Amino acid sequence: MKAFISYSHKDSNYLERLKVHLAQMKRDGLITDWTDEEIHAGGSLNNEISDALNSSELFLALLSPDYIASNYCFNKEFETAQGMQEDGKIIIVPIIVEPCDWQRTPFGNLKALPKDGKAVSEWTNPNNAFMNVIDELRRLTSFTKSSSTVQNVQYSAPEKLARNYKVKKYFSEVDIFNFKESSYEEIKDYFNSSISELDAVENLQARFTNEGKGFFTCLISNRANNENSFLTVLIGGNDHKHYGDLSYSFTDQINTNSIQIGKVFRVENDEYEQFWTRNSQGFPFSNQSNINLTARQVAEEIWNDFITQVGVSIG
C-alpha cells in the first residue's frame, strides 16, 4: 500500500522515528511511504503533494497540537483525504504523537494509534508505542491486501466511519474492580519510571520501600535541602472501603488518620465510560470533584504533589 504521511514540520522527530520503524514493512513489500521530503528543489509543492495524495491508499496523520493548528495539514491535506475516504479511495489512520484535542476533530470518528489513542510522547519507551503502530499497520495492510478493492474498507470498522457511535453500557461490580486494578497497575508503572528518572538527578534519591496487596510506598530524599518524604498509595477494596477507591498519604504506612481532603479519588462512570474523580472520603469537596480523570492523570497529580514535599518541581 502506498502511504501518504501528513505531519507538521515541528514534529519531524516523530516522522523520522516512524520511518525507522516502517523499514521492515517496506522490505516486506507491504507499504511504501511518501512525505514532502520527496519534493526536489524547484518542484511545485501543491502539485506534487496533490498528486502523491491522490495516488495513495493510506493517509497517516501524525497528530499533535502543531498539526491541528496547521492550516495546510489540517485544512488542505486532511480535508482532501476526507473526500477520498468518502469515495472509498483511501484509509485515514490517526497516529497521536503529542497530547492534543484530536477527539473533538473529525479524527475523533476514527480509531487512533497507538493503543487507546495514548500519545507516543506519553509512553515510557516511545519505541513500544511505534511497535504498536507497526503491528496495527501490518494487520491493516494484510486485511486490505486480501480484499479486491479499497472500496468500503475502513480501519477498525466494516463500514465508513462517518459518525462516531457511542454505546450506552451498564458497568457491573466486576467492571469497576477491573478498572481499579488496571488503573493501579498503570499508576504503579508510572511511579516506577518516574522514580528511576528522578534517581538519576543530582542530589535526589528515590526508591520503593514497601509493596503489598493493593498498595505501595516510596521515598524521596533531597540531599540539597535535607528534605525527605514518604508516600503511600492505596487502592480501595472491600477491606479498605473507608479509604475511597484510591487514596494517598505522605506516610510510610497505611493509616486512616493520614487521609486528607484532596488526596482521595473514586471511580465514577457515565452512560458510556468509566473514569476517576477527586473525592473526600465519599463526599465531593470542590468544583474540581466533577473533573473526569484518567489513571495517568491521577498518577501525575500524585507524583507532582509528592515531589513538592521535598522542594522539587518539574520545569
Side-chain angles (χ1 to χ4, degrees), residues 3-8 11 14-15 17-19 22 31 58-65 67-68 92-100 102 107 110-115 117-121 123 126 129-134 136-137 140 155:
F4 181 100
I5 304 178
S6 178
Y7 72 105
S8 164
D11 298 319
Y14 292 108
L15 171 66
R17 293 309 301 165
L18 175 62
K19 292 174 75 172
L22 283 172
I31 199 169
L58 199 56
F59 183 86
L60 305 181
L62 307 189
L63 300 190
S64 70
Y67 185 98
I68 293 175
I92 299 175
V93 179
I95 300 174
I96 318 302
V97 296
E98 291 280 357
C100 56
W102 66 274
F107 284 110
L110 304 169
K111 178 180 176 180
L113 301 177
K115 184 180 179 181
K118 180 179 178 180
V120 172
S121 65
W123 290 60
F130 280 116
M131 277 305 303
N132 179 258
V133 171
I134 296 304
E136 291 295 324
L137 291 179
L140 176 61
Y155 187 50

Side-chain angles (χ1 to χ4, degrees), residues 104-304:
R104 291 180 175 83
T105 73
F107 284 110
N109 295 328
L110 304 169
K111 178 180 176 180
L113 301 177
K115 184 180 179 181
D116 299 327
K118 180 179 178 180
V120 172
S121 65
E122 293 190 321
W123 290 60
T124 302
N125 186 342
N127 285 323
N128 290 334
F130 280 116
M131 277 305 303
N132 179 258
V133 171
I134 296 304
D135 288 342
E136 291 295 324
L137 291 179
R138 280 186 175 275
R139 288 177 54 205
L140 176 61
T141 54
S142 298
F143 172 71
T144 54
K145 189 175 182 180
S146 64
S147 303
S148 59
T149 176
V150 178
Q151 183 73 29
N152 293 328
V153 173
Q154 287 298 318
Y155 187 50
S156 80
E159 59 181 29
K160 285 200 271 186
L161 296 174
R163 305 175 186 86
N164 185 20
Y165 293 103
K166 296 177 71 176
V167 180
K168 292 183 179 180
K169 181 179 180 181
Y170 168 78
F171 293 97
S172 68
E173 287 298 317
V174 172
D175 291 323
I176 295 170
F177 181 89
N178 290 340
F179 182 78
K180 288 197 294 185
E181 187 178 68
S182 63
S183 293
Y184 174 77
E185 292 300 325
E186 185 173 347
I187 291 168
K188 188 170 68 173
D189 288 344
Y190 180 94
F191 269 75
N192 259 315
S193 300
S194 298
I195 284 173
S196 297
E197 186 178 76
L198 191 70
D199 200 38
V201 178
E202 186 177 3
N203 288 324
L204 297 180
Q205 296 174 299
R207 57 163 293 174
F208 277 82
T209 62
N210 195 13
E211 184 176 348
K213 183 181 179 181
F215 80 94
F216 65 83
T217 301
C218 43
L219 169 66
I220 293 179
S221 295
N222 185 344
R223 289 182 291 190
N225 60 11
N226 199 30
E227 294 285 345
N228 305 279
S229 180
F230 280 97
L231 170 77
T232 295
V233 175
L234 171 69
I235 194 78
N238 291 332
D239 51 344
H240 296 303
K241 284 184 177 179
H242 45 284
Y243 291 98
D245 292 314
L246 185 140
S247 61
Y248 68 100
S249 59
F250 299 122
T251 62
D252 61 349
Q253 58 186 347
I254 301 171
N255 185 349
T256 54
N257 296 327
S258 65
I259 300 301
Q260 302 174 25
I261 290 176
K263 295 178 173 53
V264 180
F265 300 84
R266 68 178 179 184
V267 176
E268 296 281 359
N269 65 268
D270 54 24
E271 295 178 318
Y272 304 101
E273 62 183 355
Q274 294 176 286
F275 45 80
W276 289 96
T277 61
R278 300 180 187 87
N279 192 64
S280 176
Q281 294 176 305
F283 300 97
F285 60 85
S286 76
N287 58 3
Q288 289 188 328
S289 63
N290 294 323
I291 297 176
N292 300 348
L293 302 169
T294 64
R296 182 182 177 87
Q297 288 171 326
V298 171
E300 288 173 345
E301 286 199 12
I302 298 174
W303 177 255
N304 289 338

